[in-house]
């Protein structure tokens, strides 16, 4: 979108043409639904993000509508029409619908949400908004977060409703609130995070008065539930421009409330500037990891890239020679990552994967640039497990040096490691490294039943396998018997 300048009228005509094109595309299903509401004596309008995205020329098959019908009336209207209906959000006035519709010559599935006109606000101690229903679309739009999300198109007549200048702000690429930002953020403090998220998703600027209110009211975010905060952070991190949103969170003090490890990375430079700005480095690693993504945004990789160095502030030491060290920051960082992600109510699987990548991100450098032994390669693959591809991307992204010779040397060294992994995978099936004898064979060889000794024997054989590669069965049996004899002595 062009910036707000003398070209704004042209920008508006461009977005209006896009909107007409997008609305015509979805009009069969939207008009069909609108006529049903009209026949029941209610109004219906496309609203919020759907209108914004239509104006940006990127309206998908997720459609948001608003209506004066109460949720029970909405259910009566949509149930005979929809392919499926869900009521997960009905306590907040939202009914979900899935409907197959025609788009040109194709049939497509539409995910639809119909929300009753409403207003919502927090009190000083609540962690959830209190919802009350409204009777006019104007009242509904004024309570929305930003002007670019406070536009509607009344259906089926397709009347454009924009009481707060959202179209102008969309053309200018700016985020403003319909009323004062203080009132908006007081109603729902999560909107402060949404400002950063939309800045990152849309590459928009946030109006100065909105930024000022975010700084002044940052502590209000603490009454919002961890789950809601987490979802906004995810959307921000998975956006096209996460650096922009993250920098806004740090600059306004919001990050200090929801992800304090990030602003803590802004370590003071020592007088000789012997270590780089860890905060800027982490944002650069995130961007470089994004460049290596192959199948769309990867939340695990992006979180690991952002958090990989959060152990550095806790482990920083100024050495006698004037240097700076961060010994074992990967271990400390993995623990901090687990603690923060758990506090934000991430799934156990996601916590495990991200913290494991943080723990492993320095493993490659521990071997230097020399020739890797087969044993070292096996252990690298074993320790990474299913995260190996992400570990490759994270390790490569972690090189942010401006020294081209050093960067090229690191890249060549990692190329060499990947080649070695590929060679050994071809020979040994590295992805499923296991001992050459299974539990039953161990018990048969030792003449013992199930118990702790079988686990110890299994671990011994696994270490042998990692060190020496595959063994013939007879050799594995001999080695196991030798180990067992040593245990008996």
């Amino acid at each position: 979108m062009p910036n707000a300048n003398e070209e704004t009228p042209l920008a508006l005509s461009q977005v209006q043409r896009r909107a007409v094109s997008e609305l015509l595309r979805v009009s069969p299903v939207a008009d069909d639904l609108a006529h049903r509401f009209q026949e029941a004596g209610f109004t219906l309008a496309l609203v919020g993000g759907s209108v914004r995205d239509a104006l940006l020329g990127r309206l998908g098959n997720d459609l948001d509508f608003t209506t004066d019908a109460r949720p029970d009336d909405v259910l009566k209207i949509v149930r005979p029409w929809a392919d499926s209906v869900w009521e997960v959000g009905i306590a907040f006035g939202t009914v979900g619908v899935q409907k197959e519709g025609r788009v040109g010559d194709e049939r497509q599935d539409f995910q639809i949400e119909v929300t009753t006109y409403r207003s919502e606000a927090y009190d000083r101690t609540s962690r959830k908004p209190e919802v009350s229903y409204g009777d006019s679309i104007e009242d509904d739009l004024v309570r929305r977060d930003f002007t670019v999300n406070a536009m509607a198109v009344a259906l089926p007549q397709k009347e454009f409703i924009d009481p707060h200048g959202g179209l102008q702000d969309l053309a200018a690429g700016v985020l403003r609130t319909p009323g004062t930002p203080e009132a908006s953020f007081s109603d729902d403090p999560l909107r402060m995070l949404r400002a950063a998220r939309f800045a990152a998703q849309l590459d928009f600027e946030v109006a100065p008065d909105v930024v000022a209110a975010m700084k002044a009211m940052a502590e209000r975010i603490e009454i919002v539930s961890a789950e809601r905060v987490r979802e906004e952070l995810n959307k921000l991190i998975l956006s096209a421009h996460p650096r922009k949103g993250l920098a806004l969170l740090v600059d306004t003090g919001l990050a200090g409330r929801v992800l304090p490890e990030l602003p803590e990375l802004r370590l003071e430079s020592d007088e000789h500037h012997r270590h780089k700005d860890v905060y800027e480095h982490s944002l650069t690693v995130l961007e470089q990891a994004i460049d290596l993504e192959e199948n769309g945004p990867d939340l695990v990789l992006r979180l690991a890239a952002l958090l990989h160095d959060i152990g550095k502030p806790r482990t920083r030491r100024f050495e006698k020679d004037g240097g700076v060290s961060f010994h074992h920051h990967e271990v400390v960082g993995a623990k901090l990552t687990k603690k923060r992600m758990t506090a934000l109510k991430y799934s156990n699987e996601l916590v495990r994967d991200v913290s494991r990548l943080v723990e492993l991100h320095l493993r490659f450098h521990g071997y230097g640039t020399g020739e890797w032994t087969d044993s070292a390669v096996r252990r690298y693959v074993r320790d990474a497990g299913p995260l190996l591809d992400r570990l490759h991307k994270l390790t490569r992204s972690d090189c942010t040096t401006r020294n081209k010779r050093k960067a090229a040397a690191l890249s060549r060294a990692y190329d060499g490691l990947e080649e070695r992994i590929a060679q050994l995978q071809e020979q040994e099936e590295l992805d499923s490294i296991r001992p050459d004898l299974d539990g039953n064979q161990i018990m048969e060889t030792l003449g013992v039943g199930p118990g702790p000794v079988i686990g110890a024997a299994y671990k011994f054989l696994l270490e042998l396998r990692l060190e020496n590669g595959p063994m013939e069965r007879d050799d594995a049996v001999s080695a196991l018997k030798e180990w067992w004899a040593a245990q008996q002595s």
Side-chain angles (χ1 to χ4, degrees):
M1 300 297 298
N3 289 325
N5 52 32
E6 67 276 2
E7 295 180 338
T8 297
L10 175 60
L12 293 182
S13 66
Q14 289 172 339
V15 296
Q16 287 167 325
R17 283 197 297 272
R18 289 195 198 106
V20 169
S21 173
E22 291 291 283
L23 292 173
L24 285 175
R25 184 180 68 82
V26 303
S27 63
V29 68
D31 285 350
D32 188 11
L33 183 59
H35 282 298
R36 290 175 180 271
F37 273 80
Q38 195 174 54
E39 289 166 5
F42 299 108
T43 61
L44 188 74
L46 195 69
V47 73
S50 292
V51 176
R52 180 198 69 225
D53 288 345
L55 291 164
L56 290 172
R58 59 181 216 181
L59 181 62
N61 288 359
D62 292 347
L63 304 178
D64 293 328
F65 295 91
T66 189
T67 180
D68 56 349
R70 296 304 191 252
D72 287 345
D73 294 315
V74 174
L75 286 172
K76 291 176 185 176
I77 295 168
V78 300
R79 275 190 171 132
W81 175 79
D83 298 325
S84 60
V85 175
W86 58 95
E87 302 178 29
V88 176
I90 200 163
F92 298 99
T94 299
V95 173
V97 170
Q98 181 175 322
K99 175 70 175 178
E100 184 185 81
R102 181 174 53 81
V103 178
D105 296 328
E106 296 182 6
R107 308 292 295 182
Q108 295 183 12
D109 282 331
F110 287 87
Q111 304 298 320
I112 293 169
E113 289 192 347
V114 182
T115 302
T116 303
Y117 297 157
R118 65 188 187 188
S119 61
E120 58 189 29
Y122 279 80
D123 63 32
R124 284 286 166 183
T125 58
S126 172
R127 297 182 71 84
K128 294 182 179 180
E130 297 175 357
V131 176
S132 60
Y133 298 129
D135 295 309
S136 74
I137 194 167
E138 289 77 16
D139 289 344
D140 182 80
L141 294 178
V142 75
R143 66 109 194 147
R144 298 201 171 237
D145 50 10
F146 303 104
T147 60
V148 296
N149 297 328
M151 298 177 283
V153 177
L155 299 173
Q157 66 269 36
K158 295 187 174 61
E159 175 193 352
F160 185 65
I161 303 169
D162 181 23
H164 305 289
L167 188 59
Q168 291 278 355
D169 288 341
L170 194 70
V174 65
L175 291 171
R176 289 190 308 107
T177 53
T180 67
E182 290 80 8
S184 180
F185 297 156
S186 182
D187 283 348
D188 186 353
L190 188 70
R191 291 172 178 172
M192 295 185 285
L193 291 190
R194 287 168 66 84
R197 189 251 288 188
F198 283 122
Q201 285 183 330
L202 303 173
D203 197 18
F204 278 19
E205 300 303 318
V206 181
D209 64 328
V210 176
V211 174
M214 291 167 70
K215 290 179 179 178
M217 302 178 67
E219 81 285 351
R220 286 279 285 150
I221 198 65
E222 293 179 2
I223 70 166
V224 180
S225 69
E227 292 85 352
R228 296 184 77 211
V229 168
R230 179 197 65 218
E231 290 309 304
E232 284 302 320
L233 285 175
N234 285 351
K235 291 172 184 176
L236 190 163
I237 290 167
L238 291 171
S239 70
H241 308 279
R243 173 190 281 264
K244 190 167 195 169
L246 291 167
L248 182 60
L249 291 183
V250 170
D251 292 343
T252 56
L254 281 160
R257 308 280 179 172
V258 299
L259 194 62
E261 294 80 7
L262 185 59
E264 285 175 9
L265 292 176
R266 294 195 294 188
L267 299 173
E268 310 87 353
S269 295
D270 58 285
E271 59 179 334
H272 302 294
H273 303 285
R274 295 196 182 222
H275 70 272
K276 44 188 153 179
D277 183 328
V278 184
Y279 168 69
E280 283 296 326
H281 164 74
S282 298
L283 293 180
T284 300
V285 172
L286 171 59
E287 291 177 321
Q288 292 183 169
I290 291 170
D291 290 340
L292 295 178
E293 290 174 337
E294 297 167 306
N295 300 304
D298 181 344
L299 183 61
V300 171
L301 177 63
R302 293 192 183 196
L303 282 169
L306 180 64
L307 302 175
H308 76 285
D309 272 348
I310 63 171
K312 280 191 170 180
R314 305 283 180 92
T315 58
R316 182 173 59 158
R317 297 291 181 271
F318 294 99
E319 306 296 345
K320 292 179 181 179
D321 63 0
V324 180
S325 67
F326 304 95
H327 295 308
H328 306 301
H329 76 266
E330 72 282 11
V331 177
V332 173
K335 292 178 180 176
L336 291 173
T337 296
K338 184 177 181 180
K339 182 178 179 181
R340 177 54 50 199
M341 291 184 65
T342 300
L344 288 168
K345 305 295 180 67
Y346 279 96
S347 69
N348 291 336
E349 180 182 8
L350 207 64
V351 173
R352 181 196 67 212
D353 288 351
V354 175
S355 58
R356 185 62 169 156
L357 285 171
V358 171
E359 183 181 3
L360 293 175
H361 83 272
L362 280 186
R363 184 67 60 88
F364 164 74
H365 299 283
Y367 292 95
T369 57
E371 182 73 11
W372 282 53
T373 64
D374 287 353
S375 173
V377 173
R378 292 187 195 102
R379 292 176 191 279
Y380 192 81
V381 173
R382 189 273 307 268
D383 291 346
L387 297 171
L388 182 62
D389 184 59
R390 287 181 172 122
L391 183 58
H392 288 333
K393 292 181 173 68
L394 177 59
T395 303
R396 289 186 179 277
S397 302
D398 197 22
C399 177
T400 61
T401 179
R402 295 180 183 177
N403 184 322
K404 292 184 178 180
R405 184 177 298 178
K406 183 178 179 182
L410 285 170
S411 181
R412 284 195 302 271
Y414 208 84
D415 287 344
L417 172 60
E418 290 204 58
E419 288 170 11
R420 291 291 307 287
I421 290 172
Q423 290 167 4
L424 280 179
Q425 277 177 328
E426 216 174 291
Q427 298 166 15
E428 303 181 14
E429 298 182 6
L430 287 188
D431 292 338
S432 54
I433 290 179
R434 57 179 60 87
D436 296 286
L437 301 176
D438 62 24
N440 289 327
Q441 291 168 327
I442 292 171
M443 287 189 287
E444 181 184 340
T445 300
L446 301 183
V448 298
V453 69
I454 305 303
Y458 189 93
K459 184 177 180 181
F460 163 74
L461 289 173
L462 179 59
E463 287 299 314
L464 208 59
R465 169 73 173 79
L466 288 166
E467 190 65 33
N468 301 321
M471 300 173 67
E472 295 294 335
R473 178 189 168 95
D474 290 346
D475 293 335
V477 168
S478 295
L480 179 60
K481 287 180 176 179
E482 286 182 22
W483 172 84
W484 182 237
Q487 304 303 303
Q488 305 302 307
S489 60

